[in-house]
Amino acid sequence: MNIIDLFLKAGFLVQGVMLLLLIFSVMSWAFIFQRSSILSKAKKQVDQFDNSFWSADDLNVLFDKAKFNKEEICGTEHIFYSGFKEFSRLYQINPNMPEAALDGASRSMRLAMNRELDNLELHIPFLGTVGSISPYIGLFGTVWGIMHAFISLGEVKQATLQMVAPGIAEALIATAIGLFAAIPAVLAYNRLSLRVSRMEQSYLNFIDEFSSILQRQAVAVRK
């Protein structure tokens, strides 16, 4: 016997459970590769913009560059653009209240950060869901298959292990496939969630540092 034979000989409900778990597994791997690639690109973009930001002599030049490519910017560059834009707008309206401009810039940057995190976290909760429910779905298929195997066994006068073993084996495949779907999903969910958390901390650090720069500039201009 092999897995394909066991699948073909299983009942319709057990086959449905196996197919559902295989679909979950394929989708999980697709999201794992997709999210890993996106997070790697996001980290690279953060590093590149940090180098540009801290080596820039004039933030207005950096802002104009971001404004020119505002449809394509992301990560800390998007946060910088949103904060600097809001700060400039509010400061021009009332230059005597830099605190209001700083508060507005901080709120704008945090909103931009939340949008960035939403994009990074897309599909990651699905991995957590697959990791949580797949073993139970597989166990349901196994219990159902074993139950029917014993019901069929009760209909014969003389039962042997050879008669019941194939039915149990067919049912146990559902649990195996459930674990096959769940284990990579759980590992990837934990790993990707950690990477998103690190990106969030990078964004928060940038917001704090950039807010401090804006505050120093506002105080210097005011003097």
Side-chain angles (χ1 to χ4, degrees), residues 158-178:
Q158 186 176 0
T160 63
L161 182 61
Q162 187 177 5
M163 295 175 61
V164 72
I168 295 177
E170 294 160 11
L172 289 173
I173 288 296
T175 297
I177 296 177

Side-chain angles (χ1 to χ4, degrees), residues 198-216:
R198 289 175 177 171
M199 292 296 297
E200 181 180 8
Q201 189 59 50
S202 297
Y203 294 156
L204 288 172
N205 290 341
F206 176 80
I207 290 174
D208 290 340
E209 292 167 346
F210 186 44
S211 296
S212 298
I213 292 173
L214 292 177
Q215 185 176 16
R216 288 197 297 268

Side-chain angles (χ1 to χ4, degrees), residues 16-84:
V17 167
M18 293 180 187
L19 286 175
L20 178 62
L21 292 171
L22 287 174
I23 291 172
F24 281 171
S25 180
V26 171
M27 292 178 65
S28 295
W29 280 108
F31 291 148
I32 288 169
F33 287 121
Q34 181 197 47
R35 291 295 101 190
S36 297
S37 176
I38 288 174
L39 285 168
S40 297
K41 290 179 181 178
K43 180 64 170 62
K44 184 178 179 180
Q45 289 167 342
V46 166
D47 293 338
Q48 289 177 343
F49 182 76
D50 281 350
N51 292 332
S52 300
F53 178 82
W54 293 111
S55 62
D57 296 327
D58 188 355
L59 293 181
N60 289 292
V61 176
L62 204 60
F63 174 76
D64 291 338
K65 180 181 178 182
K67 185 178 181 180
F68 182 76
N69 299 313
K70 63 181 179 179
E71 299 299 329
E72 301 177 1
I73 60 176
C74 60
T76 47
E77 188 172 10
H78 180 209
I79 295 171
F80 162 78
Y81 173 78
S82 300
F84 197 90

Side-chain angles (χ1 to χ4, degrees), residues 149-160 163-164:
F150 278 106
I151 289 174
S152 300
L153 188 63
E155 296 175 354
V156 299
K157 293 182 180 180
Q158 186 176 0
T160 63
M163 295 175 61
V164 72

Side-chain angles (χ1 to χ4, degrees), residues 116-191:
E116 292 296 324
L117 291 176
D118 287 341
N119 292 332
L120 294 179
E121 292 174 342
L122 186 65
H123 301 313
I124 292 179
F126 174 81
L127 297 176
T129 301
V130 170
S132 299
I133 68 174
S134 291
Y136 297 104
I137 294 176
L139 183 60
F140 168 74
T142 295
V143 170
W144 186 272
I146 291 176
M147 181 181 68
H148 278 266
F150 278 106
I151 289 174
S152 300
L153 188 63
E155 296 175 354
V156 299
K157 293 182 180 180
Q158 186 176 0
T160 63
L161 182 61
Q162 187 177 5
M163 295 175 61
V164 72
I168 295 177
E170 294 160 11
L172 289 173
I173 288 296
T175 297
I177 296 177
L179 294 175
F180 176 79
I183 293 173
V186 171
L187 293 174
Y189 174 79
N190 292 333
R191 176 62 178 167

